[in-house]
Amino acid sequence: MPRTSASAGGLGLRTWLAVVLSWACAFLFAVQRRGCTNFCLVELSEALALGGWQPSAAATGRGPGERLSSLPAPAPPALASDATEVPLPPTVAYATTSEATTATSTLTTSTVVTSVTNTEPSTGYPGVYRKAFVINRKVDVNRLHHFADTAAAAGVQFEVFEAIDKREMILEKLLLDGEIGPLAKQRLEEQWADQSGIFACTISHNRLWRKLAAHTPEDDVFLVFEDDSRMSPNFHKRLAAVMKSVPNDWDLLYLNHNKLVGHPLPNNIWFKPDITYAGGGKNALLNAYVVRPSGLKRMLRIQHPIDFLWSNDDNLRRHFMDFQAYFLIDNLVPQIGLSVRKNLHLKNMPDHQL
């Protein structure tokens, strides 16, 4: 009797195991038919096969005798090297005034001026600057591409800050928004309609400055370029070296210049311009510079709103007594070609020379 009971119990266990496995296969087959992949079914079948059990053809979708290993293997996940994003040229994004968007192919824009927050990732050179911007009109695609090439060679990542196009300036709106004053509006309407590019340039710089001036902490450093600037491959190394000797009170650091009037500092690396107005062709060239929020707040007091009748460069050198500007004696970032300002015929405008 004991032997008969043991045999019956063993047979019953195998029978129940077969029933449970059949139910499991039927369940997985039903799931498969509702759109799931056969990955789980194959894995279960392989495991059962190792134990000597073979699922039915109806459950696996294979013919009798077909090996489990003959099923196509699932495709491996794409490796990071398969990504379509190319690391060079560096990340180019129409840095929008409301949000810093990082995309290499889609350029987005906005006209809302807000701050750069310290929660945004730093893309600058560690210990030297937090972030770099290039000011560029959307229509100037070729200029941006040339700048991107030189920036890539120098290892500079940047964001594009969209410049206002002079053909799209609405003077009444600029006045209402507090970007220009009544005198500038009047002169542009009556005499200088064809010179609006000068004012568009200043507005573009001012908009970026207002964005950066709202940034905290105030001692964070930013690089700003115009899109006709060029850099050498060792740009970061040279900039890091000269920043070690800059005076602590600096507000604006020029990385390019024309004729300088003033005196070099003892280190013969930086130059302090005279606070008296030097005139046209001197103490200027704002195509590449370094700023920080604390200094921008002082500069915006004499730059915003625009109610002066000369260029951005000229207004700054008229106010060197109101903020601390220094020129790097070495022209670290030359300007290639003629800028829009230099191409303008300005015979009717006072003190316009660079």
Side-chain angles (χ1 to χ4, degrees), residues 25-42 57-62 71:
C25 287
F27 171 76
L28 291 174
F29 180 64
V31 171
Q32 181 188 11
R33 295 195 61 180
R34 283 166 172 76
C36 299
T37 64
N38 63 357
F39 177 76
C40 293
L41 180 60
V42 171
T60 62
R62 302 192 313 272
L71 290 176

Side-chain angles (χ1 to χ4, degrees), residues 31 45 142 189 197 219 226 236 242 349:
V31 171
S45 300
N142 289 337
E189 289 175 334
D219 58 351
E226 292 182 346
H236 274 150
V242 298
M349 295 190 69

Side-chain angles (χ1 to χ4, degrees), residues 237-306:
K237 180 179 179 181
R238 295 168 64 188
L239 179 63
V242 298
M243 289 296 289
K244 294 177 181 178
S245 60
V246 68
N248 291 330
D249 65 347
W250 70 272
D251 293 322
L252 170 64
L253 303 176
Y254 289 81
L255 301 183
N256 193 21
H257 61 80
N258 49 15
K259 183 178 180 180
L260 294 178
V261 178
H263 62 276
L265 299 187
N267 57 31
N268 208 35
I269 296 175
W270 296 96
F271 190 96
K272 182 64 177 174
D274 281 348
I275 61 173
T276 56
Y277 180 58
K282 307 176 186 68
N283 292 350
L285 293 190
L286 203 66
N287 67 289
Y289 54 92
V290 183
V291 288
R292 53 185 175 182
S294 56
L296 287 172
K297 291 177 180 178
R298 282 184 281 272
M299 294 161 60
L300 283 167
R301 293 171 189 164
I302 53 97
Q303 283 281 117
H304 176 75
I306 301 167

Side-chain angles (χ1 to χ4, degrees), residues 133-338:
F133 296 87
V134 60
I135 299 175
N136 167 263
R137 297 187 307 165
K138 287 189 74 172
V139 297
D140 292 329
V141 177
N142 289 337
R143 290 168 68 107
L144 179 58
H145 286 171
H146 287 310
F147 178 84
D149 288 341
T150 187
V156 175
Q157 291 188 333
F158 62 90
E159 292 178 359
V160 179
F161 188 87
E162 184 184 355
I164 186 173
D165 194 314
K166 66 178 183 180
R167 296 166 295 186
E168 298 176 358
M169 289 198 309
I170 303 175
L171 298 182
E172 188 64 35
K173 186 177 187 306
L174 293 173
L175 179 65
L176 291 175
D177 290 344
E179 296 197 78
I180 64 173
L183 178 59
K185 178 178 180 293
Q186 178 185 355
R187 292 298 178 91
L188 282 168
E189 289 175 334
E190 295 178 357
Q191 299 177 2
W192 299 335
D194 60 336
Q195 315 300 341
S196 56
I198 288 180
F199 292 89
C201 177
T202 304
I203 290 171
S204 299
H205 282 266
N206 279 5
R207 285 180 174 178
L208 178 55
W209 293 1
R210 290 163 60 200
K211 168 182 172 135
L212 297 179
H215 173 82
T216 55
E218 289 193 337
D219 58 351
D220 269 356
V221 177
F222 297 94
L223 271 176
V224 181
F225 301 95
E226 292 182 346
D227 58 11
D228 55 355
S229 301
R230 297 295 180 265
M231 291 165 279
S232 63
N234 62 349
F235 169 78
H236 274 150
K237 180 179 179 181
R238 295 168 64 188
L239 179 63
V242 298
M243 289 296 289
K244 294 177 181 178
S245 60
V246 68
N248 291 330
D249 65 347
W250 70 272
D251 293 322
L252 170 64
L253 303 176
Y254 289 81
L255 301 183
N256 193 21
H257 61 80
N258 49 15
K259 183 178 180 180
L260 294 178
V261 178
H263 62 276
L265 299 187
N267 57 31
N268 208 35
I269 296 175
W270 296 96
F271 190 96
K272 182 64 177 174
D274 281 348
I275 61 173
T276 56
Y277 180 58
K282 307 176 186 68
N283 292 350
L285 293 190
L286 203 66
N287 67 289
Y289 54 92
V290 183
V291 288
R292 53 185 175 182
S294 56
L296 287 172
K297 291 177 180 178
R298 282 184 281 272
M299 294 161 60
L300 283 167
R301 293 171 189 164
I302 53 97
Q303 283 281 117
H304 176 75
I306 301 167
D307 210 20
F308 43 88
L309 308 177
W310 36 79
S311 69
N312 194 28
D313 280 293
D314 199 42
N315 192 59
L316 289 173
R317 65 178 164 221
R318 289 171 180 269
H319 290 275
F320 281 153
M321 73 290 294
D322 297 319
F323 65 98
Q324 297 300 320
Y326 295 91
F327 288 84
L328 182 62
I329 294 176
D330 179 19
N331 284 330
L332 184 58
V333 186
Q335 193 173 22
I336 303 301
L338 294 176

